[in-house]
Amino acid sequence: MLQTARQPRHLALLALATVFAVVFVALGFWQYGVAQQDAREEALREGPRQPIVALDELVAPYEPFPSNGSLRRVTTSGTYDADQQFLVPGRVLEGERGYWVVAPVVVDTTGARLPILRGFVTDPDQAAPPPAGKVRITGALAPSDSPVDVGPLPPGQRGSIEVATLINEWGGEVYNAFLFVIAQDPAEPTSAMQPVPPPAPEVDGLDWRNLGYALQWWVFALFAYYLWWRSVREDHLDEVARQEAAHSSPPPESPPGDHPAPDVPEGTHV
C-alpha cells in the first residue's frame, strides 16, 4: 500500500488533506479559547450575584483557604492594628506604578488578625494610618500571596502579602487569607489612597457547548486524513485484484488450423 500512497495523485491528496487538517485544528483551538472566555465571563457575571456572607461563615483562623472562597464577598468588623501596617512595592494600578497599603484588622468575633488591602498609593508618604476605632469592612477574599524575592527592602515594606511570614511576626491567630476592600465604614481618611479592585477570577472551567464545537473541528481534521487513507486503500485493493486476476487466467487456446500434423510412418501412402 505504501507504493500506492506514493503515487503523485495520492501525494497531492495528502497535501490537500494536511491543509484542511491544519485549518480545522486552528479553528478547534480558536473555539477552545472561546469556551474558556465564555466560562470566565459567566463567572464574572455570577460573582456579584453570590450573597455576601460573614467572614467566619467561610473561613476561620489558621484554617486552609476554602476551595470556594477565592474573591467571595464577605463582611467583618474589627479594629485596625496600625503598628503592623506595611507597603508592598512594585504594584500597578491603571498604568501607574506604586504600592499596596496593607494593615491587619483584629476581627471582633475571633480576635485574630486579617490582612486588609486598604488601597494603592504612588508615594509611600501618601500611606496614611488606618482609621481609629471600630470599622466595618466588606471585601473580596483572596488567598495568601506567594513569596516574592525583590531583594532588600526599606523598613515597613514587604515583597508580597505572604501570610505564613506574617503569622511568625505578628504572633497570635491569623487568617490564612487577605481582603480587597470594597466598602468600609468609616471610610479612608485620605483621598490619595485609591481603592484596589479585586482581580478577575481565574477560571479553570469551560463552556461545554463551545468545547463541543472545538472537538468537532478536531474530528474534521482526523476525517480529512481518513478520507485520504480510504482513497489509497481502495486504489491498493483494486491494484491487488488486477494482479490476482492476471495470475489466475488460463493460457490462451491455439486458433483452428494451427494444430501440428500427426506423424506418418515412412512408406505409408495416404
Side-chain angles (χ1 to χ4, degrees):
M1 196 161 81
L2 186 58
Q3 285 184 330
T4 305
R6 289 176 176 174
Q7 294 175 1
R9 171 174 172 270
H10 290 298
L11 290 176
L13 288 176
L14 177 60
L16 184 62
T18 300
V19 170
F20 278 109
V22 169
V23 172
F24 292 154
V25 168
L27 287 171
F29 278 111
W30 169 77
Q31 197 70 61
Y32 182 79
V34 172
Q36 289 181 312
Q37 181 62 28
D38 285 355
R40 178 179 294 274
E41 291 176 357
E42 181 63 23
L44 288 172
R45 287 192 295 269
E46 287 297 324
R49 299 173 188 170
Q50 294 292 322
I52 299 175
V53 298
L55 173 70
D56 296 332
E57 292 183 21
L58 200 61
V59 64
Y62 286 131
E63 282 188 355
F65 190 84
S67 59
N68 64 338
S70 187
L71 301 181
R72 183 72 185 271
R73 271 54 175 173
V74 298
T75 184
T76 189
S77 63
T79 306
Y80 275 111
D81 184 355
D83 293 339
Q84 302 295 342
Q85 178 166 290
F86 63 91
L87 304 180
V88 181
R91 303 295 170 155
V92 178
L93 181 64
E94 297 180 354
E96 289 188 295
R97 295 187 65 84
Y99 306 80
W100 279 359
V101 182
V102 182
V105 155
V106 179
V107 177
D108 285 338
T109 55
T110 62
R113 286 176 170 80
L114 173 68
I116 304 294
L117 174 50
R118 295 177 54 211
F120 172 90
V121 295
T122 56
D123 189 314
D125 294 336
Q126 296 173 331
K134 184 173 290 189
V135 293
R136 185 161 191 85
I137 301 173
T138 300
L141 201 65
S144 170
D145 270 349
S146 300
V148 177
D149 184 8
V150 293
L153 291 172
Q157 295 189 20
R158 299 178 182 274
S160 64
I161 309 176
E162 185 189 1
V163 175
T165 302
L166 298 176
I167 291 174
N168 294 330
E169 297 188 8
W170 289 348
E173 294 187 324
V174 179
Y175 286 88
N176 191 25
F178 70 96
L179 208 62
F180 287 84
V181 173
I182 297 175
Q184 178 177 283
D185 182 26
E188 289 293 338
T190 173
S191 60
M193 190 179 307
Q194 305 173 57
V196 179
E202 295 182 3
V203 180
D204 296 329
L206 295 170
D207 179 79
W208 291 105
R209 182 184 63 179
N210 287 297
L211 179 60
Y213 294 154
L215 293 175
Q216 285 182 357
W217 283 118
W218 293 331
V219 170
F220 291 159
L222 294 175
F223 190 65
Y225 284 114
Y226 167 75
L227 291 178
W228 172 81
W229 173 84
R230 183 174 176 179
S231 175
V232 171
R233 182 175 180 272
E234 290 179 352
D235 283 1
H236 174 70
L237 293 177
D238 290 343
E239 180 64 26
V240 170
R242 286 193 296 268
Q243 291 176 359
E244 291 178 350
H247 284 82
S248 62
S249 298
E253 297 182 356
S254 301
D258 288 347
H259 297 288
D263 293 335
V264 179
E266 292 183 5
T268 305
H269 298 281
V270 181

